[in-house]
Amino acid sequence: MTTTLDPGATPAPTEASPTGPIDPQRRRRRVRPGKVLGWICMIALLLITLFPFYWMLRTALSTNALLASQADNLLPAGFTLDGFRRVFGLVTLEDSLAQGGAGGRINFWLYLRNSVIVATSITVGQVFFSAMAAYAFARLRWPGRNTVFAVFLSALMVPGIFTAIPNFVLIKELGLLNTFPGLVLPTLLMTPFAIFFLRQFFLGIPFELEEAAMLDGASRARTFLRIILPMSGAPITTLAVLTYIAAWNEYFWPLLVGQSENVRVLTVALGIFRSQTPQGSPDWSGLMAATLVAALPIVILFLALGKRIVNSIGFSGIK
Amino acid sequence: MATPVLTGRPRRPEPTSAPPRRRGVWRRTDLRTAMIFLIPATVGFVVFYLLPTIRGVYFSFTDYPVLAPPTWVGLDNYERLVNDPLFWNALVVTLYYVAINIIVQTVLAIGVAVLMQRLTRSILVRGAILLPYFIANVIVALVWFFMLDVQLGVVNVLLERFGMDPQAFFGNPALALPTIALINVWRHLGYTALLLFAGMQMISPQLYEAAALDGASPWRQFRSITMPLLRPVLALVLVVTVTGSFQIFDTVAVTTGGGPINATRVIYLYIYDLAFEQLDFGYASALSVVLFLILLVVALVQLRLLRAGESDEA
């Protein structure tokens, strides 16, 4: 943060985007009022962006009893870990009620496990199967290739709710309501975006590499697994991260087909938790502790791979 | 190896230019291999996109109370829709939401993109403003629900500090929808700004240098260079964000649930209520067909504008 807060300093080269052009502003070193104003706006923006995250943490560490009287205290009101302990089910029902918690139990570990199962299987399946399709569209020659690709891409236009109703009926007919297959199947095999994303990269790989392997007698499946996939590590990781985050955050589909306790994911559980807390005095510190823990995997993923995600945005959004 | 991930815009490869014409082993085996490689994706496409689309249209012409099989009723659902004040309300509420969300978000995002362009390209700053975009809607909704609470919310405490009355942001029919729209601006601002920033990166720095030599002010540079050259990217970004914001659901479902007095009952939520609360799949399907058509028209109009923008660049 400190380096970026100094208007005169040029950004450290390691921080700049590797392909970003040389900053034309860099030569101008005078401190101008416009720049000062700009930095004030930027800092205000960063504060507004990050404050809710701090507030989650601060509230999670507060006691419900003191939240009302210290609503504007920037520090936790009566520092305690009870909120987190309620979330993890470490307190008895009586203690939970005494702390302003809900009478119902949130089975946090179960929902966490379910979220992990759902997001992981969707990511693995979707990325691998989409990579196979992308390979066929990018590197194999066959009649009708571009037409089929265009048809696949047209699915991008279909709004989620439009397919949600018939898909729900289908999952119900298959007897897969409230099962993991029901939760993951619609996005397990492909999404138009994943195929499009990977196809773009596969097109850029030199054909000579594959050709050499083919001359050595390698099959198509083998070149796909041994050459194309390993060479696409960066885009595949990016896509996997984006897919994982999207699957982890998904609310609508799990709300429809994953209501029962044994497959309920975190997002749905949080929604239920919120609607179950009495209107008079919701368990805010418990709720904020839960949201924080639910957001944590994403934040960690973001911290670990943030640079890659940030740099991929220019690509992924402009489709 | 410079990965294409890092470029601001995807390459537009000409499909025909990709593989050079080959003979022998290549040509003979490709069709069969391609079919094998496409099996999983095709099953996914047909079963979960294509057939549901056809089936959704069929449901819209039926009375389908879920527990009993659908019966054909022709255009009844569409007739009902035209005379359904709740549908028109949902449509108006959604358009109102999209308008606030898109206008505020786009204007702010252009400003933020310019700030990033002129002040810092720090990946830390970009990462920080992008963070909310990756947090689940449900979590975003819950945090703001707490921060905007009438009694305990920190925002209301601040309002009181400045001598204003505390507001029931979600309980007041006039405030509820703008509040939800602004929460989503908070979530998406960084993402939209980064897309525009990526677009601005593609504008040649020499243009700015030349303009500066001619004595053009930063504002003039922005108006005469940045905005015209950004138009194609801006149009594309709008296609993505407008169609996305038409499908607002999570935030409303978690905060107001459509209230107060239907002030936030957006079309997506109305369809959800009809289908999964009232178990009226036929009518809900008719509504989703209409939503589909609206989105199609929006996208086509925007793509037309986009093409107009592209010719501008050449």
Side-chain angles (χ1 to χ4, degrees), chain B residues 192-212:
Chain B
T192 313
L194 270 180
L195 293 181
L196 296 177
F197 173 71
M200 286 181 190
Q201 297 279 68
M202 296 185 306
I203 300 174
S204 158
Q206 278 97 348
L207 284 174
Y208 290 103
E209 277 169 38

Side-chain angles (χ1 to χ4, degrees), chain A residues 270-306:
Chain A
L270 286 175
I272 291 173
F273 188 30
R274 136 89 180 97
S275 59
Q276 274 177 354
T277 50
Q279 285 299 320
S281 58
D283 175 9
W284 283 119
S285 57
L287 197 52
M288 289 299 111
T291 55
L292 200 67
V293 183
L296 206 59
I298 299 304
V299 174
I300 291 171
L301 210 58
F302 197 78
L303 289 178
L305 294 159

Side-chain angles (χ1 to χ4, degrees), chain B residues 38-87:
Chain B
L38 277 172
I39 288 172
T42 307
V43 170
F45 175 77
V46 171
V47 176
F48 294 106
Y49 287 93
L50 185 62
L51 291 180
T53 302
I54 296 165
R55 224 174 164 193
V57 175
Y58 164 70
F59 285 163
S60 78
F61 295 108
T62 67
D63 179 31
Y64 188 6
V66 186
L67 301 172
T71 48
W72 186 266
V73 293
L75 286 171
D76 280 12
N77 286 325
Y78 292 93
E79 231 177 281
R80 178 178 160 195
L81 185 148
V82 175
N83 300 310
D84 179 359
L86 273 177
F87 162 71

Side-chain angles (χ1 to χ4, degrees), chain A residues 72 141 173 200 249 311 314, chain B residues 5 8 11 30 55 134 161:
Chain A
D72 56 345
R141 290 179 56 85
E173 284 165 353
Q200 296 298 96
N249 289 344
N311 283 329
Chain B
V5 206
R11 294 174 192 168
D30 273 3
R55 224 174 164 193
F134 289 111
R161 278 273 172 83

Side-chain angles (χ1 to χ4, degrees), chain B residues 13-30:
Chain B
E14 285 304 311
T16 45
S17 74
R21 186 162 282 274
R22 294 283 155 198
R23 296 182 181 283
V25 287
W26 287 73
R27 240 166 79 196
R28 259 183 284 122
T29 52
D30 273 3

Side-chain angles (χ1 to χ4, degrees), chain A residues 1 4 15 17 19 21 23-25 27 32 35 38-39 41-42 45-46 48-53 55-56 59 67-68 71-72 129 132-133 135-137 140-143 145-146 151-152 155 157-163 165-170 172-173 185-186 189-192 195 199-201 203 207 211 214 220-221 224 231 234 238 242 245 249 251-252 255-256 267 270-271 274 284 287-288 291 294-295 298-299 302 307 309-315 317-319, chain B residues 1 3-8 10-11 13 15 18-22 26 30-31 33-34 36-38 40-45 47-49 52-53 55-57 59 64 66 112 115-132 134-136 138-139 142-147 149 151-152 154 157 161 186-187 189 191 194-195 198 201 205 209 218 233 236 240 247 249-250 253-255 268 271-272 275-276 281 284-285 288-289 291-292 295-296 299:
Chain A
M1 279 306 252
T4 56
E15 280 182 355
S17 163
T19 55
D23 188 343
Q25 310 294 324
R27 277 171 282 112
R32 290 149 36 116
K35 280 219 156 168
W39 273 106
C41 291
M42 184 66 98
L45 174 80
L46 287 173
I48 294 171
T49 307
L50 296 177
F51 181 77
F53 293 96
W55 209 242
M56 257 193 265
T59 308
L67 271 182
D72 56 345
F129 294 132
M132 284 171 67
Y135 181 76
F137 286 124
L140 301 176
R141 290 179 56 85
W142 44 284
R145 185 175 72 159
N146 293 327
V151 171
F152 271 43
M157 289 301 306
V158 188
I161 191 133
F162 186 77
T163 45
I165 294 174
N167 271 339
F168 175 84
V169 173
L170 177 70
K172 186 164 156 271
E173 284 165 353
L185 269 179
L189 296 172
M190 65 94 75
T191 62
I195 294 180
R199 176 180 168 271
Q200 296 298 96
F201 292 98
L203 282 171
F207 274 82
E211 226 168 284
M214 301 278 296
R220 279 298 199 178
F224 171 67
M231 283 196 67
T238 305
L242 294 177
I245 292 175
N249 289 344
Y251 178 67
F252 191 69
L255 182 71
L256 299 186
T267 46
L270 286 175
R274 136 89 180 97
W284 283 119
L287 197 52
M288 289 299 111
T291 55
I298 299 304
V299 174
F302 197 78
K307 192 170 172 177
I309 299 173
V310 170
N311 283 329
S312 73
I313 288 308
F315 179 92
I318 304 180
K319 29 195 181 186
Chain B
M1 193 180 87
T3 55
V5 206
L6 305 174
T7 57
R11 294 174 192 168
R21 186 162 282 274
R22 294 283 155 198
W26 287 73
D30 273 3
L31 178 61
T33 320
I36 295 168
F37 269 76
L38 277 172
T42 307
V43 170
F45 175 77
V47 176
F48 294 106
Y49 287 93
T53 302
R55 224 174 164 193
V57 175
F59 285 163
Y64 188 6
V66 186
V112 174
L115 278 183
M116 284 195 286
Q117 172 91 344
R118 296 192 150 255
L119 292 180
T120 174
R121 282 145 209 271
S122 157
I123 199 106
L124 211 66
V125 170
R126 278 188 273 161
I129 63 160
L130 190 59
L131 184 59
F134 289 111
I135 301 300
V138 176
I139 293 176
L142 285 171
V143 172
W144 281 100
F145 197 68
F146 174 58
M147 297 204 343
D149 188 80
Q151 284 146 23
L152 298 175
V154 65
V157 173
R161 278 273 172 83
W186 177 82
R187 184 170 183 263
L189 178 61
Y191 179 71
L194 270 180
L195 293 181
Q201 297 279 68
E209 277 169 38
V233 176
L236 257 176
V240 178
Q247 304 183 47
F249 173 79
D250 302 3
V254 173
T255 54
Y268 218 101
I271 297 174
Y272 170 81
F276 299 100
F281 271 31
S285 297
S288 61
V289 168
L291 176 66
F292 190 4
L295 289 178
L296 212 59

